[in-house]
Amino acid sequence: MPTETLTQPHATTAAPVLTTTMLNVDAGAFMLDVEQAAAAGTALHQRYANAEPFPHIILDNFIDGALLRSLLDEWPSSGERIGYERSQERLKFEWQPVNLHTPRLRAFLSEMISVPMLRFLENMTSIPKLIADPHFIGGGLHETRAGGHLGVHADFNIHKPMNVLRRINLLIYLNDDWAPEWNGALELWTRDMSRKVHSALPLMGRAVVFNTDLDSFHGVPDPIACPPDRARRSIALYYYTAPEAGLDAVPDRTTVFKPRPGSQDKTDWQVMRRHMLADWIPPVVYRALRGNPKS
């Protein structure tokens, strides 16, 4: 199967996927409609469930474009936290709501963890009882600057403060006039890392939703080549469930980077060693060694 590259808007609908009602235009306050969101999720379920290489969907015109563009007026220019500066990840910055002091961005992030959004995602993915993350651990506003990249990886799976299992990623892009030659496409790879299946540019209003499994490999591995006055901007949101049997039988994984076949990508040996210890040492001992006793 050839790689599908999405450069221009794909499957654009006449109206946004999710309907918004403005409550206060100046403050950027809005609400999603729970019935409309639930119905939209149901309508997209088969497309999501049948997607390869793992359940996912790429949606253009996800939420009102004017609303998304208004967020850029408040996009921060300082106070960012860099995730890492290493071979696997460079020049990628993030902000959580605790670092934000403007009404539109805070209102938007708040509505993204509301009941209508949960109903949309539950119906589309068939994963019940989703839990939003009020901490926005690893999420919030993301920005990758010129020269930056994020290697192909599978995400961390356990939210330690809430003791829940990560299940869904939602990425919303905010980049007008993004040129293909600037790179920045999100790549989805097969579970065995043998082949890239999809490549989607981070176009304004585009959203990507996918199951977060231990082998749902994705990334932005090619260095961003945008002009210095531009950056790749997105909003990242993660959703969880609380397994009835608890998390004792669930492997504890941080972000796992994988080198692409035939590339110069580097293996993250530090993480590999950590996971080997986690798999061989009894969980209660491992948690004690990590300074993370079970609450």
Side-chain angles (χ1 to χ4, degrees):
M1 179 187 298
T3 299
E4 181 181 4
T5 301
L6 300 180
T7 54
Q8 298 305 314
H10 175 72
T12 301
T13 57
V17 174
L18 295 181
T19 298
T20 54
T21 300
M22 296 303 300
L23 304 176
N24 185 313
V25 175
D26 292 337
F30 72 99
M31 62 182 293
L32 299 172
D33 180 86
V34 65
E35 293 184 1
Q36 188 274 329
T42 299
L44 294 168
H45 168 66
Q46 289 300 324
R47 181 174 155 199
Y48 183 92
N50 294 329
E52 296 290 343
F54 42 80
H56 77 275
I57 198 165
I58 300 169
L59 298 166
D60 287 306
N61 199 17
F62 183 59
I63 285 181
D64 180 68
L67 174 62
L68 292 179
R69 289 182 177 90
S70 74
L71 303 180
L72 296 175
D73 295 334
E74 296 183 351
W75 196 270
S77 58
S78 63
E80 67 270 27
R81 184 177 73 83
I82 187 168
Y84 291 97
E85 181 63 25
R86 54 181 179 165
S87 297
Q88 293 80 19
E89 185 174 11
R90 282 202 170 96
L91 294 175
K92 178 174 173 284
F93 301 85
E94 62 184 52
W95 296 260
Q96 282 76 42
V98 69
N99 309 121
L100 302 172
H101 305 284
T102 52
R104 293 176 185 173
L105 286 169
R106 292 183 64 88
F108 187 87
L109 291 174
S110 178
E111 196 64 17
M112 292 301 99
I113 60 173
S114 67
V115 169
M117 180 58 75
L118 293 178
R119 295 295 172 268
F120 168 74
L121 293 170
E122 287 172 343
N123 287 5
M124 185 171 68
T125 66
S126 286
I127 299 176
K129 300 180 181 180
L130 285 175
I131 300 169
D133 175 20
H135 303 268
F136 289 84
I137 288 180
L141 312 187
H142 284 188
E143 178 176 295
T144 305
R145 297 171 186 170
H149 73 283
L150 175 62
V152 176
H153 64 282
D155 291 307
F156 73 86
N157 65 328
I158 295 177
H159 189 301
K160 300 297 174 59
M162 298 200 307
N163 208 35
V164 289
L165 181 66
R166 186 166 167 181
R167 304 298 301 278
I168 296 296
N169 282 14
L170 165 59
L171 308 175
I172 304 171
Y173 297 109
L174 295 93
N175 306 288
D176 270 315
D177 304 318
W178 189 267
E181 58 267 26
W182 296 352
N183 298 328
L186 175 71
E187 297 182 1
L188 305 183
W189 282 71
T190 55
R191 295 183 187 272
D192 63 0
M193 279 298 297
S194 64
R195 182 171 53 87
K196 177 175 66 176
V197 179
H198 289 289
S199 180
L201 285 175
L203 305 181
M204 172 62 74
R206 174 171 285 170
V208 182
V209 188
F210 55 93
N211 281 19
T212 311
D213 300 319
L214 296 181
D215 54 2
S216 54
F217 294 112
H218 61 283
V220 186
D222 294 324
I224 303 296
C226 64
D229 61 337
R230 294 290 304 267
R232 182 188 188 273
R233 292 172 171 172
S234 62
I235 293 175
L237 304 139
Y238 311 138
Y239 303 86
Y240 300 79
T241 58
E244 292 184 3
L247 296 174
D248 284 344
V250 177
D252 181 4
R253 292 289 184 262
T254 187
T255 303
V256 177
F257 289 92
K258 291 285 188 178
R260 293 168 293 170
S263 74
Q264 299 300 311
D265 299 344
K266 306 295 184 183
T267 299
D268 192 335
W269 293 110
Q270 181 178 356
V271 168
M272 296 287 286
R273 286 191 293 270
R274 173 185 165 182
H275 290 168
M276 184 177 296
L277 288 173
D279 289 342
W280 284 95
I281 297 176
V284 65
V285 176
Y286 181 71
R287 284 194 294 266
L289 291 173
R290 295 274 301 166
N292 183 40
K294 184 177 179 181
S295 57

